[in-house]
Amino acid sequence: MHAHEDLVPQVVDVAGIDLPMSFARGPEAAAALAGVTPKLAAADAFVVLTPSTTTPSRPG
């Protein structure tokens, strides 16, 4: 990133947001996503990080 001074990373942490559990549009969903949606819409790209689901300690 040092070679690209015009690249400005921003962390958008949704862990503390009460995200909707469905894709249905409605006032609750719009309110929950109001802080995140403009940031993602303005981004040129984004990366989503999720925990691994293949850990050896997990049964099955």
Side-chain angles (χ1 to χ4, degrees):
M1 287 189 357
H2 296 289
H4 302 281
E5 293 180 12
D6 59 331
L7 179 64
V8 181
Q10 179 182 13
V11 175
V12 179
D13 187 359
V14 297
I17 300 173
D18 188 19
L19 295 173
M21 297 303 290
S22 74
F23 292 110
R25 294 183 180 195
E28 294 91 8
L33 297 170
V36 176
T37 301
K39 294 176 184 178
L40 295 179
D44 292 324
F46 57 89
V47 176
V48 177
L49 302 177
T50 62
S52 173
T53 58
T54 58
T55 58
S57 63
R58 185 174 173 186

